[in-house]
Amino acid sequence: MATFAIASLIGGGLLAVNARAEPGSTDSSNSASRENDSVNVTAEHHYNSPAERANDALLITEVKAALARDGVADNYPVAVDCDHGKILLSGVVKSAQDAKHAGDIASAAQGVTGVKNQLTWH
């Protein structure tokens, strides 16, 4: 039941996230788009248990919610991924300051062990 609840939260969030929660092999793909801008990130994750995947899914949800509350990524294609507590931000935002701010928001989420900020701006 908890896995379904987490999956429901992730499916209807700020960004699209597709992931399989099978132990030992979980590939995930994140994508988002805005007019002429788009981002599509494919990553391979290796989890030892469904609990590890669920923890990362929860962190993704928390970071997406924090970005949505702040509004820094509103109307911009930003993808959020997580691998063993490390958040990956990719996509496009309005400015360099917004990219840094989004990284700061992600790093402030409880349970995040690191942030790889690959956001660009224009």
Side-chain angles (χ1 to χ4, degrees):
M1 220 36 191
T3 303
F4 177 75
I6 291 172
S8 296
L9 287 171
I10 294 170
L14 173 67
L15 309 168
V17 175
N18 301 314
R20 284 178 278 169
E22 299 168 10
S25 70
T26 55
D27 297 334
S28 69
S29 173
N30 297 325
S31 64
S33 63
R34 175 183 174 245
E35 293 183 29
N36 296 326
D37 297 322
S38 67
V39 61
N40 187 12
V41 178
T42 302
E44 214 173 292
H45 304 286
H46 300 285
Y47 296 103
N48 295 318
S49 70
E52 287 181 355
R53 176 65 194 131
N55 185 57
D56 278 355
L58 181 59
L59 290 176
I60 289 168
T61 301
E62 289 178 5
V63 169
K64 287 180 184 180
L67 290 171
R69 277 191 305 274
D70 185 84
V72 69
D74 286 355
N75 301 316
Y76 288 93
V78 174
V80 177
D81 193 19
C82 186
D83 188 19
H84 295 87
K86 185 172 182 179
I87 296 291
L88 170 65
L89 297 176
S90 56
V92 180
V93 292
K94 182 179 175 182
S95 66
Q97 182 179 359
D98 284 349
K100 182 183 179 329
H101 184 60
D104 292 342
I105 290 170
S107 65
Q110 186 174 359
V112 171
T113 60
V115 175
K116 184 173 184 179
N117 191 341
Q118 294 182 331
L119 292 172
T120 60
W121 54 91
H122 63 95

Coordinates of all heavy atoms in Angstrom, one line a residue, residues 8-88:
S8 N 1.7 7.1 -6.5 CA 0.7 8.1 -6.8 C 1.2 9.5 -6.7 O 0.9 10.4 -7.5 CB -0.5 7.9 -5.9 OG -1.1 6.6 -6.2
L9 N 1.9 9.8 -5.6 CA 2.5 11.1 -5.4 C 3.5 11.5 -6.5 O 3.4 12.6 -7.0 CB 3.2 11.2 -4.1 CG 2.4 11.2 -2.8 CD1 3.2 11.0 -1.6 CD2 1.5 12.4 -2.8
I10 N 4.3 10.5 -6.9 CA 5.3 10.8 -7.9 C 4.6 11.0 -9.3 O 5.0 11.9 -10.0 CB 6.3 9.7 -8.0 CG1 7.1 9.6 -6.7 CG2 7.3 9.8 -9.2 CD1 8.0 8.4 -6.6
G11 N 3.7 10.2 -9.6 CA 3.0 10.3 -10.9 C 2.3 11.6 -11.2 O 2.2 12.1 -12.3
G12 N 1.8 12.3 -10.2 CA 1.1 13.5 -10.4 C 1.8 14.8 -10.0 O 1.2 15.8 -9.7
G13 N 3.1 14.7 -9.9 CA 3.9 15.8 -9.4 C 4.3 16.9 -10.4 O 3.7 16.9 -11.5
L14 N 5.2 17.7 -10.1 CA 5.7 18.8 -10.9 C 6.3 18.3 -12.2 O 6.1 18.9 -13.2 CB 6.8 19.5 -10.1 CG 7.6 20.6 -10.8 CD1 6.6 21.8 -11.1 CD2 8.7 21.1 -9.9
L15 N 6.9 17.1 -12.2 CA 7.6 16.6 -13.4 C 7.2 15.2 -13.6 O 6.7 14.5 -12.7 CB 9.1 16.7 -13.2 CG 9.6 18.1 -12.7 CD1 11.0 18.0 -12.3 CD2 9.5 19.0 -13.9
A16 N 7.5 14.7 -14.8 CA 7.2 13.3 -15.1 C 8.4 12.4 -14.7 O 9.5 12.7 -15.0 CB 6.9 13.1 -16.6
V17 N 8.1 11.3 -14.0 CA 9.2 10.4 -13.6 C 8.6 9.0 -13.9 O 7.6 8.6 -13.4 CB 9.5 10.5 -12.1 CG1 10.5 9.5 -11.7 CG2 10.1 11.9 -11.8
N18 N 9.4 8.2 -14.6 CA 9.0 6.8 -14.9 C 10.1 6.0 -14.3 O 11.3 6.1 -14.6 CB 9.0 6.5 -16.4 CG 7.9 7.4 -17.1 OD1 6.8 7.5 -16.6 ND2 8.3 8.0 -18.2
A19 N 9.7 5.0 -13.4 CA 10.7 4.2 -12.7 C 10.1 2.8 -12.4 O 8.9 2.7 -12.1 CB 11.2 4.8 -11.5
R20 N 10.9 1.8 -12.5 CA 10.5 0.5 -12.0 C 11.1 0.2 -10.7 O 12.3 0.4 -10.5 CB 11.0 -0.6 -13.0 CG 10.2 -0.6 -14.3 CD 10.8 -1.6 -15.2 NE 11.9 -0.9 -15.9 CZ 12.8 -1.5 -16.6 NH1 12.8 -2.8 -16.8 NH2 13.8 -0.9 -17.1
A21 N 10.3 -0.3 -9.8 CA 10.8 -0.5 -8.4 C 11.1 -2.0 -8.2 O 10.7 -2.6 -7.2 CB 9.7 -0.1 -7.4
E22 N 11.8 -2.6 -9.1 CA 12.2 -4.0 -8.9 C 13.6 -4.1 -8.3 O 14.5 -3.4 -8.8 CB 12.2 -4.7 -10.3 CG 10.9 -4.7 -11.0 CD 11.0 -5.1 -12.4 OE1 12.0 -5.6 -12.9 OE2 10.0 -4.9 -13.1
P23 N 13.8 -4.9 -7.3 CA 15.1 -5.0 -6.7 C 16.1 -5.4 -7.7 O 15.9 -6.3 -8.6 CB 14.9 -6.1 -5.6 CG 13.4 -6.2 -5.4 CD 12.8 -5.8 -6.7
G24 N 17.3 -4.8 -7.6 CA 18.4 -5.2 -8.5 C 18.5 -4.5 -9.8 O 19.6 -4.4 -10.4
S25 N 17.4 -4.0 -10.3 CA 17.4 -3.3 -11.6 C 16.3 -2.3 -11.7 O 15.2 -2.7 -11.8 CB 17.3 -4.3 -12.8 OG 16.1 -4.8 -12.9
T26 N 16.7 -1.1 -11.5 CA 15.7 0.0 -11.7 C 16.3 1.1 -12.6 O 17.2 1.8 -12.2 CB 15.3 0.6 -10.4 OG1 16.4 1.1 -9.7 CG2 14.5 -0.4 -9.5
D27 N 15.8 1.1 -13.8 CA 16.2 2.2 -14.8 C 15.1 3.2 -14.6 O 14.0 3.0 -14.4 CB 16.1 1.7 -16.2 CG 17.1 0.6 -16.5 OD1 18.1 0.5 -15.8 OD2 16.9 -0.2 -17.4
S28 N 15.5 4.5 -14.7 CA 14.5 5.5 -14.6 C 14.8 6.6 -15.7 O 15.9 6.8 -16.1 CB 14.5 6.2 -13.2 OG 15.6 7.0 -13.0
S29 N 13.7 7.2 -16.1 CA 13.8 8.2 -17.1 C 13.0 9.4 -16.7 O 11.8 9.3 -16.2 CB 13.2 7.7 -18.4 OG 13.1 8.7 -19.4
N30 N 13.5 10.6 -16.7 CA 12.9 11.8 -16.4 C 12.7 12.7 -17.6 O 13.7 12.8 -18.3 CB 13.6 12.6 -15.3 CG 13.8 11.9 -14.0 OD1 12.9 11.1 -13.6 ND2 14.9 12.0 -13.4
S31 N 11.6 13.3 -17.8 CA 11.5 14.2 -18.9 C 10.5 15.4 -18.6 O 9.6 15.2 -17.7 CB 11.0 13.5 -20.1 OG 9.7 13.0 -19.9
A32 N 10.8 16.5 -19.2 CA 9.9 17.6 -19.1 C 10.1 18.5 -20.3 O 11.2 18.4 -20.9 CB 10.2 18.4 -17.8
S33 N 9.2 19.3 -20.6 CA 9.4 20.2 -21.8 C 8.6 21.5 -21.6 O 7.7 21.6 -20.8 CB 8.9 19.5 -23.0 OG 7.5 19.2 -23.0
R34 N 9.0 22.5 -22.3 CA 8.4 23.8 -22.4 C 8.7 24.4 -23.7 O 9.9 24.6 -24.1 CB 9.0 24.7 -21.3 CG 8.5 26.1 -21.4 CD 9.2 27.0 -20.3 NE 8.8 28.3 -20.4 CZ 9.7 29.3 -20.8 NH1 10.9 29.1 -20.9 NH2 9.2 30.5 -20.9
E35 N 7.7 24.6 -24.5 CA 7.8 25.1 -25.9 C 9.1 24.6 -26.6 O 9.1 23.4 -27.0 CB 7.9 26.7 -25.9 CG 6.5 27.2 -25.4 CD 6.5 28.8 -25.5 OE1 7.3 29.3 -26.3 OE2 5.8 29.3 -24.7
N36 N 10.1 25.3 -26.7 CA 11.3 24.9 -27.5 C 12.4 24.2 -26.6 O 13.4 23.8 -27.1 CB 11.9 26.0 -28.3 CG 11.0 26.6 -29.3 OD1 10.2 25.8 -29.9 ND2 11.0 27.9 -29.5
D37 N 12.1 24.2 -25.3 CA 13.1 23.6 -24.4 C 12.6 22.3 -23.9 O 11.4 22.1 -23.7 CB 13.3 24.5 -23.1 CG 13.8 25.8 -23.4 OD1 14.7 25.9 -24.3 OD2 13.4 26.8 -22.8
S38 N 13.5 21.3 -23.7 CA 13.1 20.0 -23.2 C 14.2 19.4 -22.5 O 15.4 19.8 -22.7 CB 12.5 19.1 -24.3 OG 13.6 18.8 -25.2
V39 N 13.9 18.4 -21.7 CA 15.0 17.7 -21.0 C 14.5 16.2 -20.9 O 13.3 16.0 -20.6 CB 15.3 18.3 -19.6 CG1 14.1 18.3 -18.7 CG2 16.4 17.5 -18.9
N40 N 15.4 15.3 -21.1 CA 15.1 13.9 -21.0 C 16.3 13.2 -20.4 O 17.4 13.2 -21.0 CB 14.7 13.3 -22.3 CG 14.2 11.8 -22.2 OD1 14.0 11.4 -21.0 ND2 14.1 11.1 -23.3
V41 N 16.2 12.7 -19.2 CA 17.4 12.1 -18.5 C 17.1 10.7 -18.3 O 16.0 10.3 -17.8 CB 17.6 12.8 -17.1 CG1 18.7 12.2 -16.4 CG2 17.8 14.3 -17.4
T42 N 18.0 9.8 -18.7 CA 17.8 8.4 -18.4 C 19.0 8.0 -17.5 O 20.2 8.3 -17.8 CB 17.9 7.6 -19.8 OG1 16.8 8.1 -20.6 CG2 17.7 6.1 -19.5
A43 N 18.7 7.3 -16.5 CA 19.7 6.9 -15.5 C 19.5 5.5 -15.1 O 18.3 5.0 -15.2 CB 19.7 7.8 -14.3
E44 N 20.5 4.8 -14.8 CA 20.4 3.4 -14.3 C 20.7 3.4 -12.9 O 21.7 3.9 -12.4 CB 21.4 2.5 -15.1 CG 20.9 1.1 -15.4 CD 21.8 0.4 -16.2 OE1 21.9 0.7 -17.4 OE2 22.4 -0.6 -15.7
H45 N 19.8 2.8 -12.1 CA 20.0 2.7 -10.6 C 20.1 1.2 -10.3 O 19.4 0.4 -10.8 CB 18.8 3.4 -9.9 CG 18.6 4.8 -10.3 ND1 19.4 5.8 -9.9 CD2 17.7 5.4 -11.1 CE1 19.0 6.9 -10.4 NE2 17.9 6.7 -11.1
H46 N 20.9 0.9 -9.3 CA 21.0 -0.4 -8.8 C 20.7 -0.4 -7.3 O 21.5 0.0 -6.5 CB 22.4 -0.9 -9.0 CG 22.8 -0.9 -10.5 ND1 22.3 -1.9 -11.4 CD2 23.6 -0.1 -11.2 CE1 22.8 -1.6 -12.6 NE2 23.6 -0.6 -12.5
Y47 N 19.5 -0.9 -7.0 CA 19.0 -1.0 -5.6 C 19.0 -2.4 -5.1 O 18.8 -3.3 -5.8 CB 17.6 -0.4 -5.5 CG 17.5 1.0 -5.9 CD1 17.0 1.4 -7.1 CD2 18.0 2.0 -5.0 CE1 17.0 2.8 -7.5 CE2 17.9 3.4 -5.4 CZ 17.4 3.7 -6.6 OH 17.3 5.0 -7.0
N48 N 19.4 -2.5 -3.8 CA 19.4 -3.8 -3.2 C 18.0 -4.2 -2.6 O 17.9 -5.4 -2.3 CB 20.5 -3.8 -2.1 CG 21.9 -3.7 -2.7 OD1 22.2 -4.2 -3.7 ND2 22.7 -2.9 -2.0
S49 N 17.1 -3.3 -2.5 CA 15.8 -3.6 -2.0 C 14.8 -2.6 -2.4 O 15.2 -1.4 -2.8 CB 15.9 -3.6 -0.4 OG 16.0 -2.3 0.0
P50 N 13.5 -2.9 -2.4 CA 12.5 -2.0 -2.7 C 12.5 -0.8 -1.8 O 12.1 0.3 -2.2 CB 11.2 -2.8 -2.6 CG 11.6 -4.2 -2.8 CD 13.0 -4.3 -2.2
A51 N 13.0 -1.0 -0.5 CA 13.0 0.1 0.4 C 14.0 1.2 0.0 O 13.7 2.4 0.2 CB 13.4 -0.4 1.8
E52 N 15.1 0.8 -0.6 CA 16.1 1.8 -1.1 C 15.4 2.6 -2.2 O 15.6 3.9 -2.3 CB 17.3 1.1 -1.7 CG 18.3 0.6 -0.6 CD 19.5 0.0 -1.2 OE1 19.6 -0.2 -2.4 OE2 20.4 -0.4 -0.4
R53 N 14.7 2.0 -3.1 CA 14.1 2.7 -4.2 C 13.0 3.6 -3.7 O 12.8 4.7 -4.1 CB 13.5 1.7 -5.2 CG 12.7 2.4 -6.3 CD 13.6 3.2 -7.2 NE 12.8 4.1 -8.0 CZ 13.1 5.4 -8.2 NH1 14.0 6.0 -7.5 NH2 12.3 6.2 -8.9
A54 N 12.2 3.1 -2.7 CA 11.2 3.9 -2.1 C 11.7 5.2 -1.4 O 11.1 6.2 -1.5 CB 10.4 3.1 -1.1
N55 N 12.9 5.0 -0.8 CA 13.5 6.2 -0.1 C 13.9 7.2 -1.2 O 13.6 8.4 -1.0 CB 14.7 5.8 0.6 CG 15.3 6.9 1.4 OD1 14.7 7.6 2.2 ND2 16.6 7.2 1.2
D56 N 14.5 6.8 -2.3 CA 14.8 7.8 -3.4 C 13.5 8.4 -4.0 O 13.5 9.6 -4.3 CB 15.6 7.1 -4.4 CG 17.1 7.0 -4.1 OD1 17.5 7.5 -3.0 OD2 17.8 6.4 -4.9
A57 N 12.5 7.6 -4.1 CA 11.2 8.1 -4.7 C 10.6 9.2 -3.7 O 10.1 10.2 -4.2 CB 10.2 7.0 -4.9
L58 N 10.7 8.9 -2.4 CA 10.3 9.9 -1.5 C 11.1 11.2 -1.6 O 10.5 12.3 -1.5 CB 10.3 9.4 0.0 CG 9.8 10.3 1.1 CD1 8.4 10.6 0.8 CD2 10.0 9.6 2.4
L59 N 12.4 11.1 -1.7 CA 13.2 12.3 -1.8 C 12.9 13.1 -3.1 O 12.8 14.3 -3.1 CB 14.7 11.9 -1.8 CG 15.2 11.4 -0.4 CD1 16.7 11.0 -0.6 CD2 15.1 12.5 0.6
I60 N 12.6 12.4 -4.2 CA 12.3 13.0 -5.4 C 11.0 13.8 -5.2 O 10.9 15.0 -5.6 CB 12.1 12.0 -6.6 CG1 13.4 11.4 -7.0 CG2 11.3 12.6 -7.8 CD1 13.3 10.2 -7.9
T61 N 10.0 13.2 -4.6 CA 8.7 13.8 -4.3 C 8.9 15.1 -3.4 O 8.3 16.1 -3.7 CB 7.7 12.9 -3.6 OG1 7.6 11.7 -4.5 CG2 6.4 13.5 -3.3
E62 N 9.8 15.0 -2.4 CA 10.0 16.1 -1.5 C 10.7 17.2 -2.2 O 10.3 18.4 -2.0 CB 10.8 15.6 -0.3 CG 10.0 14.7 0.7 CD 10.8 14.3 1.9 OE1 12.0 14.7 2.0 OE2 10.3 13.5 2.6
V63 N 11.6 16.9 -3.0 CA 12.3 18.0 -3.8 C 11.4 18.7 -4.8 O 11.3 19.9 -4.9 CB 13.6 17.5 -4.5 CG1 14.2 18.5 -5.4 CG2 14.7 17.1 -3.4
K64 N 10.6 17.9 -5.5 CA 9.6 18.4 -6.5 C 8.7 19.3 -5.7 O 8.3 20.4 -6.2 CB 8.9 17.3 -7.2 CG 9.7 16.6 -8.2 CD 8.8 15.5 -8.8 CE 9.5 14.6 -9.8 NZ 8.5 13.6 -10.3
A65 N 8.2 18.9 -4.6 CA 7.2 19.7 -3.8 C 7.8 21.0 -3.4 O 7.2 22.1 -3.4 CB 6.7 18.9 -2.6
A66 N 9.1 20.9 -2.9 CA 9.8 22.1 -2.5 C 10.0 23.1 -3.6 O 9.8 24.3 -3.5 CB 11.1 21.8 -1.8
L67 N 10.3 22.6 -4.8 CA 10.5 23.5 -6.0 C 9.2 24.1 -6.4 O 9.1 25.3 -6.7 CB 11.1 22.7 -7.1 CG 12.6 22.2 -7.0 CD1 13.0 21.3 -8.1 CD2 13.5 23.4 -6.9
A68 N 8.1 23.3 -6.3 CA 6.8 23.8 -6.6 C 6.3 24.9 -5.7 O 5.8 25.9 -6.1 CB 5.8 22.7 -6.7
R69 N 6.6 24.7 -4.4 CA 6.2 25.7 -3.4 C 6.9 27.0 -3.6 O 6.4 28.1 -3.5 CB 6.5 25.2 -1.9 CG 5.4 24.3 -1.4 CD 5.7 24.0 0.1 NE 7.0 23.5 0.5 CZ 7.3 22.2 0.4 NH1 6.4 21.3 0.1 NH2 8.5 21.8 0.8
D70 N 8.2 26.9 -3.9 CA 9.0 28.1 -4.1 C 8.7 28.7 -5.5 O 8.8 30.0 -5.6 CB 10.5 27.7 -4.1 CG 11.4 28.9 -4.2 OD1 11.7 29.5 -3.2 OD2 11.8 29.2 -5.3
G71 N 8.3 28.0 -6.5 CA 8.0 28.5 -7.8 C 9.2 28.8 -8.7 O 9.1 29.3 -9.8
V72 N 10.4 28.4 -8.3 CA 11.6 28.6 -9.0 C 11.6 27.9 -10.4 O 12.1 28.4 -11.4 CB 12.9 28.3 -8.2 CG1 13.0 26.8 -8.0 CG2 14.1 28.8 -8.9
A73 N 10.9 26.8 -10.5 CA 10.9 26.0 -11.7 C 9.6 26.1 -12.5 O 9.4 25.4 -13.5 CB 11.2 24.6 -11.4
D74 N 8.7 27.0 -12.0 CA 7.4 27.2 -12.7 C 7.6 27.5 -14.1 O 8.4 28.4 -14.5 CB 6.6 28.3 -12.0 CG 6.0 27.8 -10.7 OD1 6.2 26.7 -10.3 OD2 5.4 28.7 -10.0
N75 N 6.9 26.8 -15.0 CA 6.9 27.0 -16.4 C 8.2 26.7 -17.1 O 8.5 27.1 -18.2 CB 6.4 28.4 -16.8 CG 5.0 28.7 -16.3 OD1 4.1 27.8 -16.4 ND2 4.8 29.8 -15.7
Y76 N 9.1 25.9 -16.4 CA 10.4 25.5 -17.0 C 10.5 24.0 -16.9 O 10.1 23.4 -16.0 CB 11.5 26.2 -16.3 CG 11.6 27.7 -16.6 CD1 11.0 28.7 -15.8 CD2 12.3 28.1 -17.8 CE1 11.0 30.0 -16.2 CE2 12.3 29.5 -18.1 CZ 11.7 30.4 -17.3 OH 11.7 31.7 -17.6
P77 N 11.2 23.4 -17.9 CA 11.4 22.0 -17.9 C 12.5 21.6 -17.0 O 13.7 21.8 -17.3 CB 11.7 21.7 -19.4 CG 12.4 22.9 -19.9 CD 11.7 24.0 -19.2
V78 N 12.2 21.1 -15.8 CA 13.2 20.7 -14.8 C 12.9 19.2 -14.5 O 11.8 18.9 -14.1 CB 13.2 21.5 -13.6 CG1 14.1 21.0 -12.5 CG2 13.6 23.0 -13.9
A79 N 13.9 18.4 -14.6 CA 13.7 17.0 -14.2 C 14.5 16.7 -12.9 O 15.6 17.3 -12.7 CB 14.3 16.0 -15.2
V80 N 13.9 15.9 -12.0 CA 14.5 15.6 -10.7 C 14.7 14.1 -10.7 O 13.7 13.3 -10.9 CB 13.6 16.1 -9.5 CG1 14.2 15.6 -8.2 CG2 13.4 17.6 -9.6
D81 N 15.9 13.6 -10.3 CA 16.1 12.2 -10.2 C 16.9 12.1 -8.9 O 17.4 13.0 -8.3 CB 16.9 11.6 -11.3 CG 16.9 10.1 -11.4 OD1 16.1 9.5 -10.7 OD2 17.8 9.6 -12.0
C82 N 16.9 10.8 -8.3 CA 17.7 10.6 -7.1 C 18.3 9.2 -7.2 O 17.6 8.2 -7.6 CB 16.7 10.7 -5.9 SG 17.5 10.6 -4.3
D83 N 19.5 9.1 -6.7 CA 20.2 7.8 -6.7 C 20.9 7.7 -5.3 O 21.8 8.4 -5.1 CB 21.2 7.7 -7.8 CG 21.8 6.3 -7.9 OD1 21.2 5.3 -7.4 OD2 22.8 6.1 -8.6
H84 N 20.3 6.8 -4.5 CA 20.9 6.6 -3.1 C 21.1 7.9 -2.4 O 22.1 8.1 -1.8 CB 22.2 5.8 -3.2 CG 21.9 4.4 -3.7 ND1 21.9 4.1 -5.1 CD2 21.6 3.3 -3.1 CE1 21.7 2.8 -5.2 NE2 21.5 2.3 -4.0
G85 N 20.1 8.8 -2.4 CA 20.1 10.0 -1.7 C 20.7 11.2 -2.4 O 20.6 12.3 -1.9
K86 N 21.3 11.0 -3.5 CA 21.9 12.1 -4.3 C 21.0 12.6 -5.3 O 20.6 11.8 -6.2 CB 23.3 11.7 -4.9 CG 24.0 12.8 -5.6 CD 25.4 12.5 -6.0 CE 26.0 13.7 -6.6 NZ 27.4 13.4 -7.1
I87 N 20.6 13.8 -5.3 CA 19.6 14.4 -6.2 C 20.3 14.9 -7.5 O 21.4 15.5 -7.4 CB 18.9 15.6 -5.5 CG1 18.1 15.2 -4.4 CG2 18.1 16.4 -6.6 CD1 16.8 14.3 -4.7
L88 N 19.7 14.6 -8.6 CA 20.2 15.2 -9.9 C 19.1 16.1 -10.4 O 18.0 15.7 -10.6 CB 20.4 14.0 -10.9 CG 20.7 14.5 -12.3 CD1 22.0 15.2 -12.5 CD2 20.7 13.3 -13.3

